[in-house]
């Protein structure tokens, strides 16, 4: 009886040992993958900072102005005039404040059962 228990315990120990080694190698693989991703992110952040620096240099007016002057005739480009943006006087005025007394009288007449719009339509002969 004890022999069977010992054999069972030895087999269980071997199975547990194999499980621990599998977990260990899995964790090492995950850590290696994580390290590769961190290196990739660092590399891409470096490239991004270089691109931002290039954009900052290329978008400066001192860099753009000679290009614009060189191609101004070919592209028929002209400087923007103030009239293209419109004038302050061209903006629509704010709508008039609603007449609250007229609205109150309309609601009172509707509550009383009188429909003023129907009365207007009836006067004009519209059904």
């Amino acid at each position: 009886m004890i022999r069977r228990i010992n054999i069972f315990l030895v087999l269980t120990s071997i199975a547990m040992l194999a499980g621990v080694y599998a977990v260990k190698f899995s964790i090492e693989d995950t850590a290696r993958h994580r390290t590769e991703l961190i290196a990739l992110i660092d590399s891409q952040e470096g490239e991004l900072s270089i691109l931002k620096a290039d954009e900052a240099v290329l978008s400066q007016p001192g860099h753009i102005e000679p290009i614009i002057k060189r191609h101004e005739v070919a592209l028929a480009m002209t400087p923007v005039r103030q009239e293209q943006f419109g004038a302050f006087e061209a903006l629509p005025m704010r709508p008039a404040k609603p007449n609250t007394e007229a609205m109150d009288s309309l609601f009172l007449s509707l509550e009383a059962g009188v429909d003023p719009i129907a009365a207007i339509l009836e006067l004009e002969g519209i059904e």
Side-chain angles (χ1 to χ4, degrees):
M1 176 78 178
I2 292 182
R3 182 182 233 171
R4 288 184 183 174
I5 291 175
N6 284 338
I7 291 172
F8 175 73
L9 288 176
V10 167
L11 292 176
T12 305
S13 297
I14 290 172
M16 297 297 273
L17 184 64
V20 168
Y21 275 116
V23 169
K24 177 188 174 232
F25 290 124
S26 172
I27 290 172
E28 287 177 356
D29 189 44
T30 303
R32 182 186 51 78
H33 185 65
R34 180 180 173 268
T35 305
E36 289 173 357
L37 287 176
I38 288 172
L40 178 65
I41 290 170
D42 287 343
S43 168
Q44 289 180 346
E45 284 178 349
E47 291 175 6
L48 182 63
S49 66
I50 290 171
L51 289 174
K52 284 182 179 179
D54 286 345
E55 180 187 11
V57 169
L58 294 175
S59 63
Q60 289 180 351
H63 181 75
I64 294 174
E65 188 174 352
I67 297 171
I68 291 172
K69 288 190 179 201
R70 190 172 44 223
H71 299 289
E72 187 174 13
V73 175
L75 298 175
M77 295 174 58
T78 57
V80 177
R81 296 182 319 270
Q82 185 177 358
E83 295 83 27
Q84 290 176 312
F85 295 107
F88 184 72
E89 293 80 24
L91 292 175
M93 296 301 293
R94 181 178 288 181
K97 203 171 184 179
N99 187 352
T100 57
E101 293 177 14
M103 295 298 288
D104 289 341
S105 66
L106 173 66
F107 289 132
L108 288 175
S109 64
L110 286 174
E111 287 178 4
V114 177
D115 187 5
I117 295 175
I120 292 171
L121 292 176
E122 188 177 310
L123 282 175
E124 294 183 2
I126 301 172
E127 293 183 22

